[in-house]
């Protein structure tokens, strides 16, 4: 094997490993989107009711999003979290000190919630199904797993290529990484579109802002790494095969 192709293969493997780690971390963390709002110090009955609704198994889309807006919420592909005061009081709370104790409470999305229909008016089951938001949500949930699976399958093919001491099978690895990159890019695009459509339906309250978190950024970085690894795998395999064919033809002649 020529040193050029071996170097390209090693670099592609490193890029593939980094993108796999980034993608796995992105899937497993809860910071795809973050809301910033003033800390709710007064734990009134309405606040406590909102927390109970957020942590309930039957919380609808509007209910948990209202809580996310109000309590510095973060959201991932699997879970939603809010930050609330650690202690609740039925009377007026004590004066705030410099260290105001807060606690983060999280609730996982069930599989039923992941595939549940989204409504034109969030929370209103009589408003009709919003097909666009429904399929955007399902794609943003499924595509990262498809991407991760394609990269793992590509890694197995690459391992077989190393055992066989041949670069030609890595063309399949390159194609799988290309498909994985497209899936990751599709997932990121679906997430952005879904968030924008949600904010059009449910406007952000006053003094509340939102931004994409570091989990989302990891997925964004993972996609170009997958494309670069794909290009290197395909180039190394194709060029090595071409040179081998020319050398064989030269020897026969």
């Amino acid at each position: 094997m020529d040193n050029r192709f071996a170097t390209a293969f090693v670099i592609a493997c490193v890029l593939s490993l980094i993108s796999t780690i980034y993608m796995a971390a992105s899937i497993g963390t809860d910071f795809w989107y973050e809301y910033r709002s003033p800390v709710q110090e007064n734990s009134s009955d309405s606040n406590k009711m909102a927390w109970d609704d957020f942590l309930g198994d039957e919380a609808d889309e509007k209910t948990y999003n209202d809580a996310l807006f109000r309590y510095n919420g973060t959201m991932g592909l699997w879970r939603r979290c809010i930050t609330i005061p650690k202690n609740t009081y039925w009377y007026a709370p004590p004066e705030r000190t410099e260290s105001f104790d807060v606690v983060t409470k999280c609730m996982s999305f069930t599989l039923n919630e992941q595939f549940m229909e989204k409504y034109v008016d969030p929370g209103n089951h009589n408003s009709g199904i919003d097909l666009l938001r429904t399929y955007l949500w399902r794609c943003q949930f499924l595509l990262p797993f498809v991407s991760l699976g394609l990269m793992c399958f590509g890694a197995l093919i690459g391992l077989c290529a190393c055992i066989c001491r041949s670069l030609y099978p890595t063309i399949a690895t390159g194609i799988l990484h290309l498909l994985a990159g497209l899936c990751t890019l599709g997932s990121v695009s679906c997430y952005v579109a879904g968030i924008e459509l949600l904010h059009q339906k449910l406007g952000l309250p006053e003094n509340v802002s939102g931004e994409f978190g570091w989990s989302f950024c990891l997925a964004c970085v993972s996609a170009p790494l997958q494309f670069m690894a794909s290009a290197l795998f395909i180039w190394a395999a194709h060029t090595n095969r071409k040179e081998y064919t020319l050398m064989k033809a030269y020897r026969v002649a």
Side-chain angles (χ1 to χ4, degrees):
M1 185 187 300
D2 192 293
N3 286 336
R4 292 175 301 160
F5 307 136
T7 302
F9 182 76
V10 170
I11 294 174
C13 289
V14 172
L15 292 175
S16 175
L17 178 61
I18 294 173
S19 65
T20 302
I21 293 172
Y22 282 2
M23 199 65 219
S26 176
I27 292 173
T29 49
D30 310 319
F31 298 92
W32 279 65
Y33 202 85
E34 304 177 27
Y35 294 100
R36 294 286 179 265
S37 58
V39 177
Q40 303 290 328
E41 300 182 27
N42 185 12
S43 301
S44 63
D45 291 340
S46 61
N47 290 344
K48 189 173 186 306
M49 185 179 300
W51 303 337
D52 292 339
D53 289 341
F54 176 83
L55 298 174
D57 294 332
E58 298 182 356
D60 59 37
E61 186 181 23
K62 186 177 187 305
T63 300
Y64 70 71
N65 273 294
D66 285 344
L68 289 172
F69 296 160
R70 191 172 183 180
Y71 299 105
N72 290 292
T74 63
M75 191 160 58
L77 298 180
W78 280 96
R79 296 199 308 173
R80 56 186 186 264
C81 302
I82 55 175
T83 302
I84 60 177
K86 188 173 183 180
N87 299 311
T88 57
Y89 304 91
W90 58 271
Y91 55 88
E95 295 183 4
R96 176 173 178 168
T97 61
E98 297 212 357
S99 58
F100 189 73
D101 292 334
V102 294
V103 63
T104 299
K105 293 185 178 291
C106 296
M107 185 70 184
S108 298
F109 290 106
T110 63
L111 280 178
N112 187 38
E113 287 177 319
Q114 295 285 12
F115 293 98
M116 188 179 294
E117 293 87 358
K118 304 296 179 184
Y119 297 98
V120 175
D121 183 11
N124 183 0
H125 295 193
N126 297 321
S127 61
I129 298 173
D130 190 333
L131 290 178
L132 178 57
R133 290 200 310 117
T134 297
Y135 285 104
L136 284 174
W137 182 278
R138 293 175 182 177
C139 287
Q140 78 183 28
F141 166 69
L142 291 174
L143 287 178
F145 293 99
V146 175
S147 174
L148 205 56
L150 289 171
M151 285 192 292
C152 291
F153 188 52
L156 289 176
I157 295 176
L159 182 61
C160 293
C162 291
I163 294 173
C164 298
R165 295 185 179 180
S166 172
L167 277 176
Y168 192 65
T170 55
I171 287 183
T173 301
I175 293 173
L176 289 173
H177 276 70
L178 177 62
L179 295 175
L182 292 174
C183 288
T184 302
L185 193 60
S187 175
V188 167
S189 301
C190 288
Y191 195 86
V192 172
I195 286 291
E196 292 300 323
L197 290 174
L198 175 64
H199 290 168
Q200 289 178 14
K201 305 284 184 180
L202 299 174
L204 290 178
E206 189 178 357
N207 297 327
V208 175
S209 61
E211 61 184 11
F212 292 100
W214 58 266
S215 300
F216 175 84
C217 294
L218 287 179
C220 291
V221 172
S222 180
L225 292 177
Q226 291 165 344
F227 288 134
M228 287 189 286
S230 172
L232 286 173
F233 279 130
I234 294 174
W235 174 83
H238 178 72
T239 308
N240 182 64
R241 182 70 176 180
K242 186 177 179 180
E243 289 195 3
Y244 174 78
T245 303
L246 291 174
M247 186 179 297
K248 187 176 180 181
Y250 175 75
R251 288 178 178 176
V252 170

